[in-house]
Amino acid sequence: MKLIISVLITISSFSIFAQNTEKLALTPPMGWNSWNTFQTNVSEDLVKGVVDAFIRDGLKDAGYNYIVLDDGWMAMERDAQGNLVPDPKKFPSGLKTLSDYIHSKGLKFGIYNCAGNKTCGGYPGSRGHEYQDALMYASWGVDYLKYDWCNTDKINPIGAYTTMSEAIKATKRPMIFSLCEWGNSEPWKWAKEVGQLWRSTGDIYPCFDCEFKHDNWSAWGIMKIANMRQDNRRGAGPGHWNDPDMLEVGNGMSISEDRAHFALWCMMAAPLIMGNDVRKASKETISLLTNKNLIAVDQDSLGMQGFRYSCKDSMEIWARPLANFEWAVCFINTSSKAQKLSFNWQTEEIIDNVFKYNINAKINTYKIKDLLKNTFILSTDKPLETTIPSHDVLIVRLSKK
Ligand code: GLA
């Protein structure tokens, strides 16, 4: 009898924990990560400055809460007990103190490591130290782990990521687990039980549509990334998300291109992890990153990833079903010149063949809100006619009248 009771208690505490980890990311995680701007040049001062900017510029109020240290936070060697050691020059007060500071401002602390023997930057990886590292993170109050895929020889990704996921669960500290194996082994088919988000593509690069070649790999512009995986929508939903990589908003593209990038990431239900130097961001950049209408699309409770409905004459049309039978629709002008748009809702029915939703403007009249201008424009009774500047977007929300 005693045995049965203790088995039942164990099972129920595991299932409560499983429910809690599901609840960690009912909508796509939002935050900031050091990599895109700072690579391995991270420090305590940088993180504190970022925390301050989160509060000062309304990023926290807009929903951004995770502050994630990417590669480069460690010393080059583990200590004599095999523990990871934060680089003492970069983090003189240690990571627990930094984590306490982040938490004291109502924010959450994330960290990076890798499934291989070394991280992509050559720092100690977690292979063979998974449980030890997870316990260390828990003792520092870590809330989010990004887990990379360099120097993994030929190990099995499902096994490697499951081991780390189990190690996190064993600490009993809720931590978001962000898988970063670039979509190589199609994690949208298996990682739902393992973590809350997984990279679906290679690394992003701050350009509209370029391929940036490194020695033996490429980084990709925003349109390349958005169009790279058209087949993974079924994998996304509340608690588990496809991650087309961190944002490059504010990192050198034009403001039109930044708008297109941010709008597309919201259409894709992407995690919104800023990658710019938020301490020095322009007003224009902050105002885009905190746009309530766009964030509401990204964070929509239905959690359905949008899809490319059409691509004709350098105009891409993306659509995303939202809760309460609303829709977001995004028109992107990918050409180098301004283009006229004429879209007749009466003759073009947008159908989501995967989730079986449709915009039927013959039966329903939808009002249309321009999400960037924050104004209502006509309704679906009339064709939508406008001009979209080069590399810019019109993103609208449709709701039934
Ligand atoms: C890989 C990841 C990046 C970043 C670097 C760190 O390239 O995809 O996002 O974490 O490693 O070295």
Side-chain angles (χ1 to χ4, degrees):
M1 187 62 182
K2 258 191 186 163
L3 182 68
I4 294 174
I5 291 174
S6 81
V7 168
L8 285 176
I9 291 173
T10 314
I11 291 173
S12 68
S13 63
F14 266 110
S15 69
I16 288 168
F17 189 76
Q19 283 164 17
N20 286 342
T21 51
E22 267 280 293
K23 280 193 190 139
L24 278 177
L26 286 178
T27 59
M30 294 174 67
W32 175 87
N33 173 299
S34 49
W35 181 254
N36 284 357
T37 298
F38 299 95
Q39 284 85 51
T40 55
N41 300 315
V42 289
S43 71
E44 189 171 306
D45 285 349
L46 167 65
V47 173
K48 284 188 168 166
V50 169
V51 170
D52 295 344
F54 262 54
I55 314 287
R56 183 191 65 218
D57 293 336
L59 293 163
K60 180 184 171 203
D61 290 344
Y64 296 92
N65 55 356
Y66 288 95
I67 298 205
V68 184
L69 270 178
D70 207 284
D71 209 353
W73 61 266
M74 298 170 220
M76 277 302 187
E77 302 292 338
R78 292 175 179 268
D79 71 11
Q81 285 71 46
N83 291 317
L84 290 169
V85 183
D87 182 321
K89 286 211 185 78
K90 294 174 177 172
F91 299 96
S93 318
L95 288 186
K96 176 71 172 84
T97 307
L98 187 61
S99 157
D100 287 346
Y101 180 73
I102 294 172
H103 290 140
S104 75
K105 304 285 178 176
L107 298 167
K108 290 176 186 284
F109 179 39
I111 215 164
Y112 161 101
N113 209 323
C114 183
N117 295 318
K118 284 190 184 323
T119 71
C120 300
Y123 297 85
S126 274
R127 187 167 175 193
H129 292 269
E130 292 85 353
Y131 281 74
Q132 183 178 15
D133 291 353
L135 282 171
M136 187 59 93
Y137 304 146
S139 78
W140 290 335
V142 167
D143 307 295
Y144 182 121
L145 174 66
K146 171 177 169 182
Y147 205 54
D148 214 340
W149 192 242
C150 282
N151 306 304
T152 41
D153 302 322
K154 291 204 167 65
I155 60 174
N156 176 308
I158 303 183
Y161 280 101
T162 303
T163 303
M164 195 66 217
S165 171
E166 295 299 326
I168 291 172
K169 285 176 192 154
T171 71
K172 300 263 190 305
R173 182 175 174 86
M175 269 181 233
I176 286 198
F177 189 38
S178 154
L179 289 71
C180 179
E181 56 71 83
W182 317 301
N184 292 354
S185 62
E186 306 187 311
W188 46 90
K189 293 187 179 159
W190 54 265
K192 200 174 148 182
E193 315 303 330
V194 178
Q196 288 73 33
L197 64 157
W198 48 80
R199 281 276 295 280
S200 43
T201 59
D203 283 9
I204 195 167
Y205 191 80
C207 65
F208 191 67
D209 200 23
C210 71
E211 173 180 355
F212 185 82
K213 289 194 175 154
H214 293 266
D215 288 345
N216 52 4
W217 61 283
S218 288
W220 307 96
I222 56 157
M223 293 311 299
K224 290 262 186 309
I225 292 212
N227 281 295
M228 216 169 259
R229 311 272 188 210
Q230 302 274 337
D231 56 345
N232 61 8
R233 294 180 63 221
R234 278 184 204 281
H240 43 92
W241 308 99
N242 287 304
D243 172 11
D245 207 359
M246 303 167 295
L247 295 166
E248 293 282 16
V249 172
N251 280 347
M253 288 188 288
S254 70
I255 187 66
S256 306
E257 293 171 335
D258 274 353
R259 267 197 292 269
H261 174 26
F262 195 62
L264 265 174
W265 262 233
C266 293
M267 292 300 290
M268 293 192 288
L272 297 180
I273 308 293
M274 299 176 289
N276 57 322
D277 186 351
V278 290
R279 300 169 309 171
K280 300 181 184 153
S282 69
K283 281 212 170 100
E284 219 171 17
T285 297
I286 294 290
S287 125
L288 178 60
L289 287 168
T290 55
N291 183 301
K292 286 200 170 79
N293 293 332
L294 295 190
I295 291 175
V297 170
D298 183 75
Q299 299 285 301
D300 182 74
S301 60
L302 194 58
M304 252 173 216
Q305 182 176 323
F307 62 99
R308 195 180 71 185
Y309 159 72
S310 71
C311 174
K312 276 191 284 226
D313 305 328
S314 307
M315 186 72 78
E316 291 196 11
I317 305 181
W318 286 65
R320 176 173 173 187
L322 303 174
N324 303 318
F325 301 100
E326 298 192 15
W327 282 79
V329 183
C330 184
F331 303 87
I332 307 139
N333 174 6
T334 62
S335 90
S336 52
K337 295 196 181 104
Q339 270 203 92
K340 287 214 161 91
L341 166 74
S342 175
F343 188 80
N344 190 340
W345 308 95
Q346 296 298 315
T347 52
E348 286 215 50
E349 186 182 1
I350 296 184
I351 301 177
D352 176 350
N353 288 315
V354 172
F355 293 113
K356 311 292 173 209
Y357 277 68
N358 68 329
I359 304 180
N360 189 334
K362 281 191 192 134
I363 295 182
N364 304 297
T365 299
Y366 295 83
K367 53 183 183 172
I368 304 177
K369 186 173 189 183
D370 178 333
L371 297 183
L372 283 159
K373 292 206 175 115
N374 200 30
T375 49
F376 283 96
I377 45 172
L378 305 174
S379 77
T380 50
D381 289 345
K382 302 224 167 63
L384 177 60
E385 295 193 334
T386 186
T387 299
I388 304 184
S390 162
H391 294 187
D392 211 331
V393 277
L394 168 68
I395 177 168
V396 297
R397 186 178 185 116
L398 268 54
S399 39
K400 282 184 196 168
K401 264 193 164 171

